[in-house]
Amino acid sequence: MSSNRVYIFDTTLRDGEQVPGCKLNTTEKLLIASQLDKLGVDVIEAGFPVSSPGDFQSVEAIAKLVKNATVCGLTRAVENDIKIAAQALKYAKHPRIHTGIGTSESHMKYKFKATPDQIIERAVAAVTYAKSFVEDVEFYAEDAGRSDNEFLAKVCEAVIKAGATVLNIPDTTGYCLPEEYGQKIKYLKENVTGIDKAILSCHCHNDLGLATANSIAGVLNGARQVECTINGIGERAGNTSLEEVTMILKQHPYLELNTNINSKMLTSISQLVSETMGMPVQPNKAIVGTNAFAHSSGIHQDGVIKNRETYEIMNPTDVGATTSSIVLTARSGRAALAYRAKNVGYNLTKQELDTVYRDFLHFADKHKEVTDNDIHQIVKMSAISKQMYA
Ligand code: KIV
Ligand code: ZN
């Protein structure tokens, strides 16, 4: 296993689909799963099989369909959950059971009413039972972000002994700061006996807008799997966004951390997930928002027209977006107007541009955006048209 390979674990169909209103039927899930497989994700978390007959059916159908990725099913540390997940994953080429239990003070005390030793016992029993069905068992320490590092290390050590292949360290409540989350991963790397037998995984939520930053901090400190969703959808404020994490690694090649993601598919899969889930993507969303490569202020437009790299740190075509766009508003300058006017057939001289620009500003002050059609109107109404078309 190469140490600079970062595995991408997509949980759009499990943590993402938990969002109210985002529920998908099996056909829609199969469509997304086949695109995720083509995108190059390493693991598809297909669902939580014990949660409903519909989810069982979807996980089973995805397990039959997917050709390359590992297909994973979520369980609690409960025998029946694990048995049902194993049944749903029976046809997968590469099945993984994802089991776990809460390890923070509040989860142990309020959710499980159990002592730390009882939690370790249940964790080990769950992993041991899951290993009786599949080789690949991932363990999650729920609320690891707020768990005591020393106790977390004890849990990790025990489940590795029981055969866990991946250790998921979720910041379930999105509470950690990047420095803190990175140090947690580093602590586990340095203090868990047998850690080399397992992959550490980041699963971060976005309650404070830090999910991506925390995941990257985890990777920089030794984690080699990131759990994420398309468009960052997920419980509450969402999960780490797949497109953000993978483009951060791609755009910083000196880190020498690679994924298997075909970035040119990011825009189309973002649109597919948004449409099937009925969950619009905010226009200013990094990488896949409609404004991610749109330039509207005069200073920026002038730079981008001269050379795209003045204001763009990645090429839109690398993420499957068609091109950078120069949006005309009342903040746009002459360079942008000349550029857009040329695109629709007007090669304006400097003098003509000065005149049209004055009329353009009057129009733009009254409208949010100036379209190609508006440019035709402005040029036709402008004083220069009298000379141009006389
Ligand atoms: O956020 C979380 O802790 C989870 C686990 C169930 C993996 O989604
Ligand atoms: Zn989660």
Side-chain angles (χ1 to χ4, degrees), residues 138-348:
E138 173 167 342
F139 174 80
Y140 64 86
E142 197 180 10
D143 205 15
R146 293 187 300 170
S147 299
D148 173 69
N149 285 352
E150 244 178 77
F151 177 61
L152 199 53
K154 265 175 92 173
V155 177
C156 289
E157 211 162 292
V159 296
I160 290 174
K161 268 197 201 130
T165 48
V166 181
L167 299 176
N168 179 8
I169 311 300
D171 184 21
T172 305
T173 56
Y175 180 71
C176 285
L177 293 172
E179 167 82 10
E180 185 185 2
Y181 188 76
Q183 286 306 310
K184 195 173 277 289
I185 298 293
K186 188 168 189 272
Y187 181 87
L188 296 175
K189 267 277 227 227
E190 289 173 355
N191 291 282
V192 172
T193 309
I195 195 69
D196 293 340
K197 295 196 192 104
I199 294 173
L200 277 164
S201 181
C202 309
H203 178 115
C204 298
H205 279 267
N206 206 30
D207 299 66
L208 292 172
L210 290 171
T212 297
N214 284 345
S215 298
I216 294 294
V219 167
L220 294 179
N221 282 282
R224 283 296 175 268
Q225 179 177 280
V226 176
E227 310 199 359
C228 44
T229 60
I230 301 293
N231 300 334
I233 57 159
E235 285 275 351
R236 307 181 308 281
N239 287 59
T240 301
S241 143
L242 181 148
E243 55 278 7
E244 291 172 15
V245 164
T246 55
M247 287 311 289
I248 287 169
L249 298 183
K250 187 174 162 72
Q251 296 308 110
H252 292 83
Y254 62 88
L255 295 175
E256 297 185 355
L257 293 166
N258 313 309
T259 71
N260 187 44
I261 296 299
N262 171 7
S263 65
K264 289 192 189 298
M265 283 182 66
L266 289 173
T267 299
S268 63
I269 200 160
S270 158
Q271 285 164 357
L272 173 70
V273 168
S274 168
E275 279 158 23
T276 49
M277 289 193 166
M279 185 82 156
V281 176
Q282 70 194 62
N284 60 328
K285 169 79 183 62
I287 321 290
V288 292
T290 47
N291 287 351
F293 299 99
H295 306 274
S296 68
S297 91
I299 295 171
H300 290 207
Q301 290 173 329
D302 183 50
V304 169
I305 290 166
K306 286 174 177 147
N307 186 321
R308 195 187 54 74
E309 287 180 15
T310 52
Y311 287 94
E312 282 182 358
I313 53 120
M314 60 194 134
N315 193 328
T317 58
D318 281 353
V319 301
T322 37
T323 175
S324 320
S325 62
I326 298 293
V327 181
L328 290 180
T329 71
R331 303 291 151 263
S332 300
R334 282 175 176 70
L337 177 60
Y339 172 85
R340 284 281 303 273
K342 191 172 176 196
N343 283 352
V344 292
Y346 303 102
N347 224 336
L348 303 173

